PDB file of all heavy atoms in Angstrom:
ATOM      1  N   GLU B 369     -18.385  -6.903  17.566  1.00  0.00           N
ATOM      2  CA  GLU B 369     -18.149  -5.458  17.575  1.00  0.00           C
ATOM      3  C   GLU B 369     -17.263  -5.012  18.740  1.00  0.00           C
ATOM      4  O   GLU B 369     -16.575  -3.993  18.651  1.00  0.00           O
ATOM      5  CB  GLU B 369     -19.488  -4.698  17.637  1.00  0.00           C
ATOM      6  CG  GLU B 369     -20.379  -4.886  16.408  1.00  0.00           C
ATOM      7  CD  GLU B 369     -19.840  -4.216  15.152  1.00  0.00           C
ATOM      8  OE1 GLU B 369     -19.271  -3.114  15.274  1.00  0.00           O
ATOM      9  OE2 GLU B 369     -19.956  -4.805  14.054  1.00  0.00           O
ATOM     10  N   VAL B 370     -17.264  -5.776  19.834  1.00  0.00           N
ATOM     11  CA  VAL B 370     -16.440  -5.411  20.985  1.00  0.00           C
ATOM     12  C   VAL B 370     -14.963  -5.318  20.596  1.00  0.00           C
ATOM     13  O   VAL B 370     -14.202  -4.522  21.150  1.00  0.00           O
ATOM     14  CB  VAL B 370     -16.642  -6.413  22.151  1.00  0.00           C
ATOM     15  CG1 VAL B 370     -16.144  -7.805  21.762  1.00  0.00           C
ATOM     16  CG2 VAL B 370     -15.939  -5.955  23.408  1.00  0.00           C
ATOM     17  N   LEU B 371     -14.591  -6.083  19.592  1.00  0.00           N
ATOM     18  CA  LEU B 371     -13.212  -6.056  19.106  1.00  0.00           C
ATOM     19  C   LEU B 371     -12.855  -4.648  18.621  1.00  0.00           C
ATOM     20  O   LEU B 371     -11.759  -4.135  18.881  1.00  0.00           O
ATOM     21  CB  LEU B 371     -13.081  -7.059  17.956  1.00  0.00           C
ATOM     22  CG  LEU B 371     -11.684  -7.430  17.496  1.00  0.00           C
ATOM     23  CD1 LEU B 371     -10.914  -8.119  18.600  1.00  0.00           C
ATOM     24  CD2 LEU B 371     -11.767  -8.341  16.269  1.00  0.00           C
ATOM     25  N   LEU B 372     -13.795  -4.029  17.909  1.00  0.00           N
ATOM     26  CA  LEU B 372     -13.548  -2.680  17.387  1.00  0.00           C
ATOM     27  C   LEU B 372     -13.397  -1.670  18.523  1.00  0.00           C
ATOM     28  O   LEU B 372     -12.630  -0.707  18.410  1.00  0.00           O
ATOM     29  CB  LEU B 372     -14.677  -2.253  16.446  1.00  0.00           C
ATOM     30  CG  LEU B 372     -14.939  -3.180  15.250  1.00  0.00           C
ATOM     31  CD1 LEU B 372     -16.044  -2.602  14.372  1.00  0.00           C
ATOM     32  CD2 LEU B 372     -13.667  -3.394  14.435  1.00  0.00           C
ATOM     33  N   ASP B 373     -14.124  -1.902  19.623  1.00  0.00           N
ATOM     34  CA  ASP B 373     -13.995  -1.006  20.792  1.00  0.00           C
ATOM     35  C   ASP B 373     -12.580  -1.044  21.361  1.00  0.00           C
ATOM     36  O   ASP B 373     -12.105  -0.065  21.923  1.00  0.00           O
ATOM     37  CB  ASP B 373     -14.981  -1.399  21.896  1.00  0.00           C
ATOM     38  CG  ASP B 373     -16.426  -1.281  21.441  1.00  0.00           C
ATOM     39  OD1 ASP B 373     -16.680  -0.534  20.468  1.00  0.00           O
ATOM     40  OD2 ASP B 373     -17.291  -1.949  22.029  1.00  0.00           O
ATOM     41  N   TYR B 374     -11.920  -2.189  21.197  1.00  0.00           N
ATOM     42  CA  TYR B 374     -10.530  -2.288  21.659  1.00  0.00           C
ATOM     43  C   TYR B 374      -9.549  -1.668  20.654  1.00  0.00           C
ATOM     44  O   TYR B 374      -8.546  -1.091  21.042  1.00  0.00           O
ATOM     45  CB  TYR B 374     -10.138  -3.754  21.884  1.00  0.00           C
ATOM     46  CG  TYR B 374     -10.609  -4.333  23.194  1.00  0.00           C
ATOM     47  CD1 TYR B 374     -11.731  -5.150  23.251  1.00  0.00           C
ATOM     48  CD2 TYR B 374      -9.933  -4.051  24.378  1.00  0.00           C
ATOM     49  CE1 TYR B 374     -12.164  -5.685  24.460  1.00  0.00           C
ATOM     50  CE2 TYR B 374     -10.367  -4.588  25.586  1.00  0.00           C
ATOM     51  CZ  TYR B 374     -11.485  -5.400  25.619  1.00  0.00           C
ATOM     52  OH  TYR B 374     -11.911  -5.922  26.805  1.00  0.00           O
ATOM     53  N   ILE B 375      -9.846  -1.842  19.359  1.00  0.00           N
ATOM     54  CA  ILE B 375      -8.894  -1.382  18.325  1.00  0.00           C
ATOM     55  C   ILE B 375      -8.990   0.128  18.110  1.00  0.00           C
ATOM     56  O   ILE B 375      -7.990   0.817  17.933  1.00  0.00           O
ATOM     57  CB  ILE B 375      -9.157  -2.110  16.985  1.00  0.00           C
ATOM     58  CG1 ILE B 375      -9.003  -3.626  17.149  1.00  0.00           C
ATOM     59  CG2 ILE B 375      -8.211  -1.607  15.900  1.00  0.00           C
ATOM     60  CD1 ILE B 375      -9.495  -4.431  15.957  1.00  0.00           C
ATOM     61  N   ARG B 376     -10.221   0.636  18.116  1.00  0.00           N
ATOM     62  CA  ARG B 376     -10.471   2.026  17.706  1.00  0.00           C
ATOM     63  C   ARG B 376      -9.645   3.070  18.466  1.00  0.00           C
ATOM     64  O   ARG B 376      -9.072   3.971  17.845  1.00  0.00           O
ATOM     65  CB  ARG B 376     -11.970   2.311  17.821  1.00  0.00           C
ATOM     66  CG  ARG B 376     -12.436   3.613  17.202  1.00  0.00           C
ATOM     67  CD  ARG B 376     -12.725   3.492  15.708  1.00  0.00           C
ATOM     68  NE  ARG B 376     -12.164   4.603  14.985  1.00  0.00           N
ATOM     69  CZ  ARG B 376     -12.322   4.827  13.669  1.00  0.00           C
ATOM     70  NH1 ARG B 376     -13.037   4.000  12.941  1.00  0.00           N
ATOM     71  NH2 ARG B 376     -11.745   5.831  13.085  1.00  0.00           N
ATOM     72  N   PRO B 377      -9.567   2.974  19.818  1.00  0.00           N
ATOM     73  CA  PRO B 377      -8.823   4.035  20.519  1.00  0.00           C
ATOM     74  C   PRO B 377      -7.367   4.135  20.067  1.00  0.00           C
ATOM     75  O   PRO B 377      -6.869   5.246  19.855  1.00  0.00           O
ATOM     76  CB  PRO B 377      -8.913   3.616  21.992  1.00  0.00           C
ATOM     77  CG  PRO B 377     -10.121   2.751  22.076  1.00  0.00           C
ATOM     78  CD  PRO B 377     -10.208   2.046  20.759  1.00  0.00           C
ATOM     79  N   SER B 378      -6.686   3.013  19.905  1.00  0.00           N
ATOM     80  CA  SER B 378      -5.286   3.156  19.491  1.00  0.00           C
ATOM     81  C   SER B 378      -5.210   3.513  18.012  1.00  0.00           C
ATOM     82  O   SER B 378      -4.331   4.280  17.612  1.00  0.00           O
ATOM     83  CB  SER B 378      -4.446   1.931  19.848  1.00  0.00           C
ATOM     84  OG  SER B 378      -4.935   0.793  19.232  1.00  0.00           O
ATOM     85  N   PHE B 379      -6.126   3.023  17.200  1.00  0.00           N
ATOM     86  CA  PHE B 379      -6.154   3.443  15.795  1.00  0.00           C
ATOM     87  C   PHE B 379      -6.265   4.960  15.713  1.00  0.00           C
ATOM     88  O   PHE B 379      -5.525   5.622  14.988  1.00  0.00           O
ATOM     89  CB  PHE B 379      -7.329   2.778  15.070  1.00  0.00           C
ATOM     90  CG  PHE B 379      -7.408   3.128  13.606  1.00  0.00           C
ATOM     91  CD1 PHE B 379      -6.602   2.480  12.684  1.00  0.00           C
ATOM     92  CD2 PHE B 379      -8.275   4.111  13.149  1.00  0.00           C
ATOM     93  CE1 PHE B 379      -6.654   2.805  11.331  1.00  0.00           C
ATOM     94  CE2 PHE B 379      -8.337   4.446  11.800  1.00  0.00           C
ATOM     95  CZ  PHE B 379      -7.523   3.784  10.890  1.00  0.00           C
ATOM     96  N   ASP B 380      -7.179   5.525  16.485  1.00  0.00           N
ATOM     97  CA  ASP B 380      -7.374   6.985  16.458  1.00  0.00           C
ATOM     98  C   ASP B 380      -6.140   7.729  16.963  1.00  0.00           C
ATOM     99  O   ASP B 380      -5.789   8.787  16.466  1.00  0.00           O
ATOM    100  CB  ASP B 380      -8.584   7.381  17.306  1.00  0.00           C
ATOM    101  CG  ASP B 380      -9.892   6.999  16.630  1.00  0.00           C
ATOM    102  OD1 ASP B 380      -9.876   6.707  15.416  1.00  0.00           O
ATOM    103  OD2 ASP B 380     -10.931   6.977  17.316  1.00  0.00           O
ATOM    104  N   ARG B 381      -5.508   7.160  17.981  1.00  0.00           N
ATOM    105  CA  ARG B 381      -4.364   7.833  18.575  1.00  0.00           C
ATOM    106  C   ARG B 381      -3.193   7.900  17.604  1.00  0.00           C
ATOM    107  O   ARG B 381      -2.429   8.854  17.623  1.00  0.00           O
ATOM    108  CB  ARG B 381      -3.953   7.045  19.825  1.00  0.00           C
ATOM    109  CG  ARG B 381      -2.945   7.752  20.660  1.00  0.00           C
ATOM    110  CD  ARG B 381      -3.085   7.338  22.119  1.00  0.00           C
ATOM    111  NE  ARG B 381      -1.802   6.890  22.617  1.00  0.00           N
ATOM    112  CZ  ARG B 381      -1.568   5.751  23.204  1.00  0.00           C
ATOM    113  NH1 ARG B 381      -2.566   4.901  23.413  1.00  0.00           N
ATOM    114  NH2 ARG B 381      -0.375   5.453  23.619  1.00  0.00           N
ATOM    115  N   TYR B 382      -3.058   6.904  16.755  1.00  0.00           N
ATOM    116  CA  TYR B 382      -1.878   6.817  15.898  1.00  0.00           C
ATOM    117  C   TYR B 382      -2.121   7.250  14.445  1.00  0.00           C
ATOM    118  O   TYR B 382      -1.220   7.145  13.616  1.00  0.00           O
ATOM    119  CB  TYR B 382      -1.323   5.382  15.913  1.00  0.00           C
ATOM    120  CG  TYR B 382      -0.950   4.879  17.293  1.00  0.00           C
ATOM    121  CD1 TYR B 382      -1.456   3.676  17.784  1.00  0.00           C
ATOM    122  CD2 TYR B 382      -0.087   5.612  18.121  1.00  0.00           C
ATOM    123  CE1 TYR B 382      -1.111   3.207  19.041  1.00  0.00           C
ATOM    124  CE2 TYR B 382       0.250   5.153  19.387  1.00  0.00           C
ATOM    125  CZ  TYR B 382      -0.266   3.942  19.836  1.00  0.00           C
ATOM    126  OH  TYR B 382       0.075   3.475  21.084  1.00  0.00           O
ATOM    127  N   THR B 383      -3.323   7.675  14.129  1.00  0.00           N
ATOM    128  CA  THR B 383      -3.583   8.165  12.760  1.00  0.00           C
ATOM    129  C   THR B 383      -3.652   9.680  12.749  1.00  0.00           C
ATOM    130  O   THR B 383      -4.023  10.294  13.752  1.00  0.00           O
ATOM    131  CB  THR B 383      -4.935   7.657  12.195  1.00  0.00           C
ATOM    132  OG1 THR B 383      -5.897   7.650  13.252  1.00  0.00           O
ATOM    133  CG2 THR B 383      -4.823   6.284  11.606  1.00  0.00           C
TER     134      THR B 383
END
Side-chain angles (χ1 to χ4, degrees):
Chain B
E369 295 290 323
V370 65
L371 193 63
L372 303 182
D373 298 338
Y374 280 101
I375 300 169
R376 191 85 225 184
S378 60
F379 182 80
D380 287 345
R381 190 152 127 233
Y382 302 127
T383 38

